[in-house]
Structures are given as structure tokens and as C-alpha cells.
Amino acid sequence: QVQLVESGGGLVQAGDSLRLSCAASGRTFSTYGMGWFRQAPGKEREFVAAISWRGRTTYYADSVKGRFTISRDNAKNTVHLQMNSLKPEDTAVYYCAASPLVAVPTSEGGYAYWGQGTQVTVSS
């Protein structure tokens, strides 16, 4: 049982940066793998990044590799997504999710808890 709340979205220009945050409460946060997903209008929700429960393993979608960085602070029950060099194609609602699996997944099916989403809009 985990509750997740995202924040930090907004409207920016191409090339700008944003830092998304996800605050968790409920069950022991440090035992959950965490992921970020995004959904653009008319598109399926897609994987963006994931981090293991200890923070020692990370995964990134090819489309964001080298630009986005996922991190977590278990003492503060937070996970972040630092997004640099933003592109218009990054425009989407971004969702934070938590997984109880022993290995952090990169697909939706592996995540049990989801936040409400935060809008990121990147103009050209």
C-alpha cells in the first residue's frame, strides 16, 4: 500500500530542463522499485525510466537515455526525474509508479501503485 504524488511539471521551451518529484507514503518505500512512465495524447503509456529499491540499478528508454536521470532518496521517501535537453516529443503526462517485485520492471504490468500524473509540455 503506497500512495504517490507527482509534482514539478510545467510548460517549457525546447532545450530547457525540468525536475519531476514523486512523494511516497504508506508502506515501506525503500523496498519498492520505482518507475516513471509517460502518456502523450492519443498514445499508449510508455516506459521512461526505473530505479531499483536500493538505487543501484537504473533503466532508461532509448528515447531519453543521456538526457534524463532517475534518482531516489529513501530517507525522504522521494524519487526524482531530472529531465534535460527537453524536446517537443517529450510532451506528455508523466506518472510515477511503485513496484513490489524483487527486480525493478520496465513494463506497466510490474507496477502496483500509480500517482495521478503531472503534465509536461515542451514548446518548439
Side-chain angles (χ1 to χ4, degrees):
Q1 297 177 352
V2 176
Q3 296 80 48
L4 305 172
V5 179
E6 304 96 332
S7 62
L11 193 157
V12 298
Q13 291 187 326
D16 285 353
S17 297
L18 278 176
R19 183 175 171 85
L20 304 184
S21 297
C22 176
S25 61
R27 295 288 179 86
T28 306
F29 171 75
S30 61
T31 65
Y32 287 83
M34 300 295 297
W36 286 96
F37 292 77
R38 66 187 183 186
Q39 186 169 25
K43 304 291 186 179
E44 295 292 317
R45 187 155 55 187
E46 65 176 353
F47 168 77
V48 176
I51 187 167
S52 63
W53 67 272
R54 293 183 295 181
R56 298 180 181 181
T57 303
T58 58
Y59 298 99
Y60 296 94
D62 289 341
S63 59
V64 307
K65 196 171 299 180
R67 299 188 298 121
F68 291 9
T69 302
I70 188 171
S71 62
R72 68 189 298 161
D73 186 340
N74 290 343
K76 297 181 179 179
N77 291 342
T78 57
V79 61
H80 303 280
L81 185 68
Q82 178 66 45
M83 305 185 295
N84 298 328
S85 302
L86 283 163
K87 304 175 180 180
E89 50 262 46
D90 295 318
T91 295
V93 176
Y94 283 71
Y95 297 90
C96 177
S99 172
L101 302 178
V102 294
V104 62
T106 58
S107 60
E108 290 186 42
Y111 291 85
Y113 309 103
W114 296 81
Q116 84 288 350
T118 185
Q119 177 71 48
V120 172
T121 302
V122 185
S123 63
S124 60

